[in-house]
Amino acid sequence: MADARKNKIQLKDTEYNPVTPSFTGIKTFDDYPIAELVKYIDWTPFFQTWELHGKYPAILEDELIGEAAQKLFEDAQVLLDKIVAEKWLTAKAVVGIFKARSVEDDIALIDDNNKVICTLHHIRQQNKKVDGQANYCLSDFILPETSGKTDYLGAFAVSAGFNIEGKVAAFEAQHDDYNSILLKALADRLAEAFAERMHELMRKELWGYSKDENNSPEQLISENYVGIRPAPGYPACPDHTEKITLFNLLKVTENIGIQLTDSMAMYPAASVSGWYVAHPEAKYFGTGKIGKDQVLDLAKRKNMSPEVMEKWLSSNINY
């Protein structure tokens, strides 16, 4: 573990000057127009939900599954039009920007008095790398206090699944499983589209570190922009319990009503949450398999028992 920490990525910190955001703290969006989210939908995962594998829009012309994909897509458009016109779903978001500094594999969020608000605990890649390749950790993309500069980290939670239960129940009462599943799949896509839209709004206006960005929806889906939005439970930060910190930080349940279940799932299900990292060299990565030394270290940093940590990281540990 010590060797991996020594092999952290060497960023050009002297050349990086964090952009001061338009605000620090929290902003909420109570009833975001669903119609505005439609153009941000990434349709490729939608087809995968139905076990139709191929990239949109090429999948619509596929020799084997093109006809089925086209029919599904047409049905989705009809239902999507109803969702928008009749306001079947409500979209809500809460976002935040906070002063931040890295402390080894952790990220400390601080207030204007330089007091720590909370600490985010991350995991570093530990696999042996060839010369010249670093062992990444998300904290690497936040400047340390020794840089003498003020850095920032963003956070978000969005949902497009409010009010879905009544419509799903109505379809199921009619034994219409097809439209029930279709509605839930579209709500999931709208939630991801909402995450995409809020990230764009953050980069161009709220944080404003990429004000001149001018991407098409297709370019956004291809992540043609500066910064990343990793989510707790995903490869770069596989520890689901970090959602607790995120939810407490943004007061997610109080502000917009998304709940965190005992299994760290979000309710409504069509919800997305995570972090905004603005460093121009930030990129997605996977931590890979996690060793016992890392689990013990993380448990100590988080003041949790190793057994609890092992439970949440069970699919990632290598012992």
Side-chain angles (χ1 to χ4, degrees):
M1 189 167 60
D3 289 342
R5 283 178 173 158
K6 287 178 186 174
N7 192 41
K8 67 179 288 187
I9 185 171
Q10 300 303 311
L11 301 176
K12 301 168 185 174
D13 291 343
T14 55
E15 300 175 15
Y16 173 55
N17 294 304
V19 171
T20 302
S22 64
F23 78 99
T24 54
I26 296 169
K27 282 189 183 296
T28 58
F29 297 80
D30 234 10
D31 188 4
Y32 199 90
I34 295 285
E36 284 190 23
L37 304 180
V38 174
K39 68 179 179 181
Y40 293 90
I41 291 177
D42 180 1
W43 286 102
T44 297
F46 169 79
F47 291 104
Q48 292 169 352
T49 302
W50 301 85
E51 298 187 0
L52 296 174
H53 298 283
K55 196 171 176 64
Y56 174 84
I59 191 172
L60 302 178
E61 306 296 330
D62 187 271
E63 287 185 11
L64 294 176
I65 59 172
E67 187 175 340
Q70 182 66 50
K71 174 66 168 62
L72 179 62
F73 187 64
E74 289 171 0
D75 290 345
Q77 300 310 304
V78 171
L79 197 58
L80 191 55
D81 287 344
K82 284 185 180 179
I83 290 170
V84 172
E86 300 176 20
K87 297 185 176 179
W88 283 13
L89 302 175
T90 301
K92 298 182 183 184
V94 56
V95 299
I97 307 174
F98 305 91
K99 292 180 180 179
R101 60 180 178 236
S102 61
V103 185
E104 283 199 337
D105 295 351
D106 293 340
I107 299 172
L109 303 187
I110 53 178
D111 64 17
D112 290 336
N113 297 316
N114 212 33
K115 296 278 179 63
V116 175
I117 302 168
C118 67
T119 301
L120 318 179
H121 305 283
H122 292 296
I123 300 170
R124 183 173 300 280
Q125 292 176 326
Q126 195 164 245
N127 52 312
K128 187 73 175 172
K129 299 293 188 85
V130 300
D131 288 346
Q133 289 189 6
N135 291 87
Y136 285 95
C137 180
L138 279 177
S139 62
D140 294 344
F141 303 116
I142 301 295
L143 297 179
E145 190 173 18
T146 53
S147 71
K149 301 175 182 180
T150 302
D151 207 350
Y152 300 87
L153 183 83
F156 72 95
V158 306
S159 180
F162 291 102
N163 303 326
I164 194 173
E165 293 90 347
K167 294 297 180 184
V168 168
F171 282 131
E172 290 178 350
Q174 297 165 16
H175 306 289
D176 188 349
D177 292 340
Y178 176 68
N179 274 303
S180 173
I181 296 169
L182 190 59
L183 175 57
K184 287 184 275 190
L186 287 172
D188 287 342
R189 288 297 91 215
L190 286 166
E192 294 288 352
F194 199 9
E196 193 71 80
R197 169 57 185 146
M198 291 310 300
H199 197 184
E200 179 187 53
L201 191 64
M202 184 66 73
R203 295 189 305 272
K204 295 175 73 172
E205 298 178 32
L206 300 178
W207 192 334
Y209 67 81
S210 191
K211 290 182 178 178
D212 298 328
E213 177 188 308
N214 186 25
N215 284 323
S216 67
E218 291 75 23
Q219 288 172 315
L220 290 175
I221 290 168
S222 299
E223 297 168 0
N224 183 41
Y225 47 72
V226 176
I228 57 175
R229 58 169 190 276
Y234 282 75
C237 41
D239 177 12
H240 282 277
T241 66
E242 287 294 295
K243 286 180 195 164
I244 298 171
T245 305
L246 190 154
F247 267 60
N248 289 337
L249 177 69
L250 295 179
K251 295 181 171 60
V252 175
T253 303
E254 299 95 312
N255 280 322
I256 59 170
I258 302 174
Q259 298 175 49
L260 196 58
T261 70
D262 291 342
S263 62
M264 299 299 161
M266 288 175 284
Y267 182 82
S271 300
V272 186
S273 63
W275 311 109
Y276 294 129
V277 181
H279 198 292
E281 294 183 66
K283 67 174 190 176
Y284 293 104
F285 61 91
T287 58
K289 289 296 182 180
I290 298 166
K292 187 151 193 172
D293 57 342
Q294 288 176 298
V295 172
L296 293 174
D297 177 77
L298 187 63
K300 184 177 179 181
R301 282 188 280 143
K302 291 171 69 76
N303 195 27
M304 296 172 71
S305 74
E307 292 76 22
V308 169
M309 213 69 263
E310 286 174 335
K311 170 194 167 186
W312 291 109
L313 294 169
S314 60
S315 62
N316 299 89
I317 58 180
N318 66 1
Y319 62 92

